[in-house]
Amino acid sequence: MTLVALVNMAMSVTDTLMAARFGPAGLAAVAVGSDFYSIVFVFSAGCIGGLAPLYAAAAEAQDETSLRRLRAAGWMLAVLLAFVAVPLVWAAPDYLCWLRIPEALLEDGRGYTQAIAATLVPMLCVAVLRNRLMALERPGLIVRVTACAVPANAALNWLLMHGAGGWDGLGITGLGVSSLIVATGTAAALGLVCQRAGDRRGDIRAIAELREALRLGLPIGFTMLAELGVFLGATLFAARFGVEAAAAHALTIRLAGLVYAVSIGLQQAATVRMARKAEAGDRQLPFSAGTRLGLAAGVAHASILAALAFPLANAVFDDPATAAIATGLILLLALSELLVPLGAVAAGLMRGLKDTRMPMVFSLLGNWGVTLPLALLLTAVGLGVTGLWIALAAGTLVACVLTTLRLRRHRVPQPA
C-alpha cells in the first residue's frame, strides 16, 4: 500500500513537471485545479475507506451474503459521492474567485479543471475496488495495475498536450483528459482483477451496510481532510515570508509527502489486519506488531531525515540562507516523524475495530486546534516559516499522542 501511494505521487509529480513547460501561468492554473480536486477526492476516498474494515471482517468470516451486500454498498456510496463531488469541482472556476484567485488564472485552467472533475467518476470506482482488494489482503495486484498507469499517463500527457502530426493538442487541458483516460483504464483493470480473484456479484439489499460504511467513513474523510488541509494551507501561508522561505518549505513538504506514504501504507495494513484478526477473536497480534512497526518506522524516518537535512538542503539550494532555512525545517519534520507512523498505525488499528470518530476529533484538535493558533502566534513574533513548521510539528505530535493513548482503551489485557 505504501508503493501504491508512492506511485500515485509519481503521477502527480509527472503532471507538475510536464505542466511547467507551459510556463508559470500554465503551472499555476493546473496547480489550482489539481489542489482543489485533491481536497474533494481525499475526502471522498476517506468516506469510501469505511468499507475496508467491514469488508475485511466479512472476508475473514467467509460471510458471502455480507460480502455481496458490501460490494453493492460500495457502488452506492461511489454514486452518491459522485453526484456531489463532480459538480463541485466542475464549477470550481466560477466560485474560487471568491478566494481572490485571479479570474484569468481560473479561466486558463477551466478546461483542465472540468476534465479532472470528470476523472472523479472512475477514481471513485478505483477507491471502491482498492478497498476491496486491500481488505482481501491482495495489495500486490493494486501495485501492478497502478504502476502500469505511470508511463501510460506520461505518454498520454505528451500526446494530448502537444498533439501529433497536424494536430496542435489541447494544452494544459490535455493533462486533465489524460488523467480521465488513465483513471478509466485503471478502474477497468482493477475491476477485471477483482473478477479473476472471485470478488464479484452484489446484492442491492444493502441499505444497512451503506449506512454503516458511511458511519465509519465520514469521520475518516474528515480526518484525511484535516491532515491534507493544514498542509495545503501552510503552503499558501509560507509564500508570505518570501521566496527563500517558500522554496525551503516546498522542499520540506515534498519530503513530508514521501514519509507520509509509508505511514499511510502502515495505517491501511493495520486496519485490515485488525479487522480480520478481531473477527477471528485475536486482537493481540495486530496490537503488538502494529505498535512495534510504528515505533520502528518513526525512529527510521527521524534518523534518515536528520541525517539528510544539511547535505540535501545544500545540494538543492545554492543560496546559503535558503539552505539554512531548509535544514531547520527538515529537522523539525524529523522531530514530528518520531511519532507520526505510530499515530497512523494507532488510527488504523482503531478503524479495524470500527472506532473512527475519536481519531477524527484528535486530528482536528491537533492539526487545527493547536497548529493554527500556534502558527499565528509564532509568525507574529517574527519566527516566519520556522515558526510555521514548529506549529505543524506541535499539532502533529499532539494528534499522534492523543490517538495512541486512545488505542489503550481497546487493548486486550494479556493473560497472566
Side-chain angles (χ1 to χ4, degrees), residues 15-174:
D15 286 352
T16 300
L17 292 175
M18 297 186 82
R21 295 180 63 89
F22 287 89
L27 179 59
V30 168
V32 169
S34 178
D35 285 353
F36 188 70
Y37 161 87
S38 296
I39 291 170
V40 175
F41 176 70
V42 161
F43 175 76
S44 302
C47 292
I48 292 172
L51 191 69
L54 302 174
Y55 208 80
E60 181 68 25
Q62 298 183 349
D63 185 349
E64 187 57 36
T65 299
S66 293
L67 287 172
R68 285 197 299 267
R69 291 182 178 179
L70 286 167
R71 288 177 201 129
W75 295 125
M76 292 177 187
L77 185 54
V79 170
L80 288 174
L81 289 166
F83 270 114
V84 176
V86 173
L88 187 65
V89 177
W90 186 278
D94 296 325
Y95 59 81
L96 285 182
C97 57
W98 301 342
L99 300 178
R100 297 185 179 179
I101 297 174
E103 290 188 23
L105 185 66
L106 294 171
E107 284 302 319
D108 287 344
R110 182 179 290 274
Y112 169 81
T113 302
Q114 291 179 343
I116 208 74
T119 304
L120 279 166
V121 175
M123 283 305 297
L124 291 173
C125 296
V126 168
V128 171
L129 295 167
R130 277 183 180 171
N131 274 278
R132 282 164 45 180
L133 287 168
M134 182 175 66
L136 295 174
E137 300 189 321
R138 307 292 293 274
L141 298 175
I142 309 173
V143 174
R144 294 188 193 105
V145 171
T146 311
C148 292
V150 176
N153 180 64
L156 277 172
N157 279 351
W158 184 267
L159 174 64
L160 295 174
M161 288 168 63
H162 301 288
W167 180 49
D168 293 333
L170 301 173
I172 60 172
T173 300

Side-chain angles (χ1 to χ4, degrees), residues 219 223 356-367 369 399 402-403:
T223 299
T356 59
R357 188 170 300 173
M358 290 311 297
M360 174 192 69
V361 172
F362 297 147
S363 180
L364 289 170
L365 178 62
N367 287 302
L402 291 175
T403 303

Side-chain angles (χ1 to χ4, degrees), residues 263-309:
S263 297
I264 286 296
L266 290 174
Q267 183 181 76
Q268 292 172 330
T271 297
V272 172
R273 294 304 293 155
M274 177 55 81
R276 296 182 73 103
K277 288 294 184 180
E279 181 65 27
D282 178 17
R283 296 184 180 184
Q284 187 56 45
L285 181 59
F287 271 116
S288 301
T291 52
R292 289 173 184 174
L293 267 175
L295 287 169
V299 171
H301 287 182
S303 301
I304 293 170
L305 288 169
L308 285 177

Side-chain angles (χ1 to χ4, degrees), residues 364-379:
L364 289 170
L365 178 62
N367 287 302
W368 290 96
V370 172
T371 296
L372 182 58
L374 187 58
L376 293 174
L377 174 64
L378 294 178
T379 55

